[in-house]
Amino acid sequence: MAGTKNPSKAPTPRARFVGVPATASSTLPSLPSAVTSWLPALSAAAPFSLSNFYHAVEIQTLNPEYNSSTILRADILVNEDLEDQEQAKQSVIEMESYDCVRRIRRKLQPKQTRDGSMEQECLFYRTAGSEEDAEDAEGLVLLLPDFELLQRDNGGVVPYYHPQLAALAFRYLPPPPSTSTDSEPPSASIQLDVLALPSSPLPTPLPLDHRIYRTALALLKSLHSVACGLDEGYQKRVHHDLLAGKEEVQDLYHVLKEKYRADLVPLHEPRITFPRWMLHEWKESTDPQKHLWEDVAVTAWLIVVWKHMYPETEGKPPGGFVDLGCGNGLLTYLLHSEGYPGYGLDLRARKSWASYNPSPTLLTTSLDPPTLLSSPEPPFPAGSFLIGNHADELTPWLPLFAAKTPNSAFLNIPCCPHTHVDRFTSKEYKIPPEFLDSLPSPPADPSPASPSSTHHPLLLPFYAPTSSNGGRMHAYQLYLAHLTLICGFIPEREALRMPSTKNIGQLGRKRVWDALDGKEREVAIRRVQEEVERMVKSAKEGWKARKPEGKAGEH
C-alpha cells in the first residue's frame, strides 16, 4: 500500500505475519440453503483494531485487483451503511448473533473481457448489540457470489479469477480472556473460513499445498499487511483517477488494446498482429511492446479527458493536438488512427515513422522556444492541445507555449528533469506562498490536510507534496507546478495508469483567472504576460537550440 506515515503517530515495529491452519474456535452459523459447512482455513494474530480490520477489508473489497493479476477492477453497484437493522433484514442475509452494518455489492471485471464479469455481495457484520470499539466485539465479512446470475449467465460456473468456493468469510476474533498464568496478554486474531462448492468438496483439514489453502494464505497475508499499515498510521500517497474516471479509461484502454492486438491484414498468412508486426518491423533500439502499451494507455486517458473538455467539438481539440518531442511518433500515430487531427514534432525523423499506416503527420524541426515565444504570432494554432510525453528539454516550455497560444491546454508527462536552460538538479523545491494563495479550493479533497497543515488542499491528492523531501522527481513536479501557475494555469496532476515508472501527468486546462471579473481578471492576465516575457528574456542567453541530427533536416 503506497502511503506516507502519519507524523502524529509514533512508529511501531511491523508485526510479522504468521499464518497457521485454523481451528473451529467458534463455528459460523450456516448460510440459508447452504449444502456444505464452513471450513476454517487459516488464522493469524491481529495486532490491530477491529475498525482497521474493517477498513482493510473495505480497501481490498473496493480494489480486488490488488490481490489478483487477472482482475481489472470492481464496479461498485451498492455501497450502503445499515445502521437500521430493520432495513438490514430486508436487504441482506441474517446471521445468528450478528448484526449487518454495511453492504457492498460489486461486479468483478476480469482483464480478459471474454471471461465474463461476476456480481458478488460483500456483507459486513458485527457481534449483535455491540459497538465497533467494544473489546469483545467480533467482526465478520462475507463474500457471496450471486449464483442466480451465474446460473443464468455462466451455467453456474464460478469464473477462474475467483476462488472456486461458494463463499468466503473474513473474521476478526477478539482476544480470549487472559489468565494469571499468561506470560503475555492474548491478542486478537483474524481468520478465513471457506464454504466449498457442492461439486467440489474440500478435505478437512486443508493440506498446506492445496490451492484453496494457498489462496487463503495470500488473501489473509495481504489483509494483515494493509491492516497493520493502517494501524501504524500510513496514509494513501498516490491517488489515481482524479481527472478521468477509472472505469471509462480502463474500458477504452482495453478496447484499444484489443483493436491494436487484432490482425492488421486478416487475409495475410501467417496472420500478423500489431504487436507482432512491431516486433518484426520496429526499427528503433527500444522495446516496441513497452512503447505500444504505454502510448495506448495515454491515448485512452487523453480521449476520455478530451471528451469532457471539448463537448462542442465531439471531444476533439479545436486546434488539433501537437505532440512536442514525439520521438518514435507512436502516440501521434495512435491518436491519428482514432480520428483526432494533429501532428508530431521532433528533432529528427525516426526509422519507425515510415512504417505507420495510416501515416500520421510527423515533422522534423529544431524548436527554439525563446525565439518562437518572442514572435508576435502564437507558437501553435489557436485551440491546440499540447502534449509533452517524456519531452525532455521541451517539458518546462509547454506551460509557456500554452500561455502564448490562445485557448490552448497541455499535458506534461515529465521524464528527464530540465529547466529552461539546464538540467534540474535540486532535491527540494517549494512553491512560493503567494502562488498557493491564488489557487481556488477544490470541491472535494480525498486526503484532507490537518488544520495545522500549510499545504494547499488542491495539491494534497498528488504524488508530490507542496514541500518535497522525496528526491529530485518530487522536486521537479513542484517546479513544473510552479511554472504552470506562473503561466496562468491551475496545475492538475494525475498518476496515470500506464506501465512506466515516469507516469505522473500534469494537466493545464483551467486558468487561474476563470473565477475573476473585471479589473482583477485584467490584472491577472497582464501579470502572466509579463512573467512569460520575463522568463523568455532570461532564458535567451542560456538556451541553445539543438539542430536536426543525421538526415533529419532533409525530411
Side-chain angles (χ1 to χ4, degrees):
M1 179 179 64
T4 53
K5 187 169 287 188
N6 187 342
S8 65
K9 184 162 185 174
T12 55
R14 171 64 61 90
R16 190 167 70 92
F17 174 82
V18 180
V20 296
T23 58
S25 54
S26 59
T27 305
L28 275 175
S30 298
L31 291 177
S33 70
V35 177
T36 56
S37 300
W38 287 105
L39 173 63
L42 191 73
S43 68
F48 42 80
S49 65
L50 175 58
S51 61
N52 281 333
F53 163 79
Y54 282 132
H55 193 181
V57 177
E58 176 195 18
I59 289 171
Q60 297 194 323
T61 300
L62 300 179
N63 303 278
E65 66 274 15
Y66 291 173
N67 288 328
S68 174
S69 60
T70 57
I71 293 178
L72 176 65
R73 67 169 187 270
D75 291 339
I76 306 304
L77 308 178
V78 176
N79 190 348
E80 58 183 353
D81 288 326
L82 300 173
E83 294 303 328
D84 181 353
Q85 287 305 307
E86 290 304 316
Q87 175 192 0
K89 289 178 182 179
Q90 296 173 9
S91 58
V92 303
I93 296 173
E94 288 190 62
M95 295 284 285
E96 185 181 351
S97 303
Y98 293 92
D99 289 337
C100 190
V101 295
R102 188 172 183 189
R103 174 189 176 221
I104 296 176
R105 185 175 179 88
R106 65 181 183 176
K107 179 183 282 189
L108 297 174
Q109 300 286 6
K111 286 188 175 179
Q112 300 296 332
T113 54
R114 62 178 177 268
D115 296 324
S117 58
M118 185 190 80
E119 292 192 22
Q120 187 177 54
E121 288 284 337
C122 308
L123 305 176
F124 292 63
Y125 296 85
R126 191 166 58 234
T127 307
S130 67
E131 299 295 328
E132 185 174 331
D133 55 356
E135 292 184 359
D136 59 347
E138 180 178 329
L140 168 65
V141 180
L142 297 183
L143 305 186
L144 307 168
D146 189 325
F147 280 95
E148 288 187 14
L149 286 180
L150 280 175
Q151 187 64 43
R152 187 193 70 188
D153 300 335
N154 199 33
V157 177
V158 177
Y160 78 94
Y161 53 80
H162 184 276
Q164 298 301 296
L165 295 166
L168 296 92
F170 291 94
R171 307 176 65 184
Y172 181 93
L173 303 173
S178 60
T179 66
S180 57
T181 59
D182 290 332
S183 56
E184 292 183 7
S187 68
S189 61
I190 51 174
Q191 182 168 305
L192 181 57
D193 291 26
V194 298
L195 202 61
L197 291 166
S199 58
S200 304
L202 295 172
T204 305
L206 275 175
L208 301 187
D209 60 350
H210 195 282
R211 182 172 183 176
I212 294 299
Y213 184 87
R214 296 199 306 270
T215 300
L217 181 64
L219 290 173
L220 210 63
K221 186 175 183 179
S222 177
L223 171 62
H224 183 276
S225 176
V226 174
C228 283
L230 293 170
D231 201 63
E232 293 167 7
Y234 279 88
Q235 297 174 346
K236 188 172 176 64
R237 184 182 65 185
V238 180
H239 291 260
H240 296 85
D241 315 309
L242 296 169
L243 309 181
K246 174 182 176 180
E247 295 81 5
E248 203 172 2
V249 174
Q250 283 187 334
D251 288 346
L252 180 56
Y253 171 74
H254 281 271
V255 167
L256 295 178
K257 193 172 182 181
E258 290 299 314
K259 176 178 180 179
Y260 291 101
R261 182 184 279 134
D263 293 344
L264 287 182
V265 189
L267 299 180
H268 182 73
E269 294 294 341
R271 301 178 72 183
I272 300 177
T273 63
F274 191 84
R276 193 184 306 164
W277 167 77
M278 288 187 70
L279 285 171
H280 290 286
E281 299 297 326
W282 190 249
K283 307 300 182 184
E284 314 299 339
S285 59
T286 52
D287 179 3
Q289 296 227 43
K290 177 180 183 293
H291 285 293
L292 175 61
W293 305 132
E294 281 185 16
D295 289 346
V296 166
V298 176
T299 299
W301 189 86
L302 278 173
I303 290 174
V304 171
V305 168
W306 286 348
K307 184 176 85 169
H308 299 286
M309 281 182 65
Y310 307 113
E312 301 85 0
T313 52
E314 299 181 335
K316 297 177 181 178
F321 71 85
V322 184
D323 188 357
L324 295 163
C326 65
N328 57 50
L330 184 54
L331 179 59
T332 303
Y333 164 76
L334 291 168
L335 289 169
H336 172 76
S337 298
E338 292 305 308
Y340 292 83
Y343 58 94
L345 299 173
D346 204 88
L347 188 66
R348 62 182 177 88
R350 307 299 172 89
K351 295 176 182 179
S352 51
W353 288 10
S355 303
Y356 296 132
N357 183 22
S359 179
T361 302
L362 296 165
L363 308 173
T364 56
T365 184
S366 177
L367 286 178
D368 185 349
T371 301
L372 196 60
L373 290 165
S374 299
S375 169
E377 298 297 321
F380 299 104
S384 295
F385 189 96
L386 311 181
I387 303 171
N389 182 16
H390 298 177
D392 295 341
E393 69 270 18
L394 292 179
T395 298
W397 290 101
L398 256 75
L400 282 75
F401 287 146
K404 293 279 285 185
T405 302
N407 303 317
S408 68
F410 68 91
L411 170 67
N412 245 334
I413 308 176
C415 181
C416 302
H418 289 269
T419 68
H420 290 139
V421 297
D422 207 345
R423 299 278 293 184
F424 181 92
T425 58
S426 176
K427 292 185 178 180
E428 290 189 9
Y429 195 88
K430 188 171 184 179
I431 300 175
E434 59 268 24
F435 286 97
L436 297 181
D437 292 341
S438 70
L439 284 170
S441 296
D445 182 9
S447 179
S450 61
S452 62
S453 173
T454 58
H455 296 170
H456 189 279
L458 190 65
L459 298 180
L460 280 177
F462 300 105
Y463 188 76
T466 57
S467 180
S468 71
N469 56 4
R472 188 170 58 160
M473 283 308 296
H474 275 198
Y476 191 54
Q477 285 287 330
L478 295 173
Y479 167 76
L480 292 178
H482 185 193
L483 278 181
T484 300
L485 284 165
I486 292 174
C487 293
F489 291 92
I490 295 174
E492 299 178 89
R493 284 178 286 174
E494 183 84 284
L496 300 170
R497 294 181 181 273
M498 55 186 283
S500 171
T501 55
K502 302 295 192 297
N503 67 336
I504 303 298
Q506 192 167 114
L507 181 65
R509 58 176 172 174
K510 300 175 183 177
R511 298 286 191 163
V512 294
W513 55 71
D514 285 343
L516 302 178
D517 294 314
K519 189 172 182 180
E520 285 187 330
R521 183 183 180 92
E522 293 176 6
V523 169
I525 293 173
R526 185 166 61 251
R527 184 185 300 119
V528 166
Q529 293 170 342
E530 292 171 352
E531 285 294 326
V532 170
E533 290 176 5
R534 180 190 62 78
M535 287 189 291
V536 170
K537 184 177 179 181
S538 175
K540 273 187 176 179
E541 297 295 325
W543 171 264
K544 293 182 181 178
R546 291 171 61 190
K547 298 194 174 168
E549 304 169 14
K551 298 182 179 180
E554 301 174 8
H555 289 261

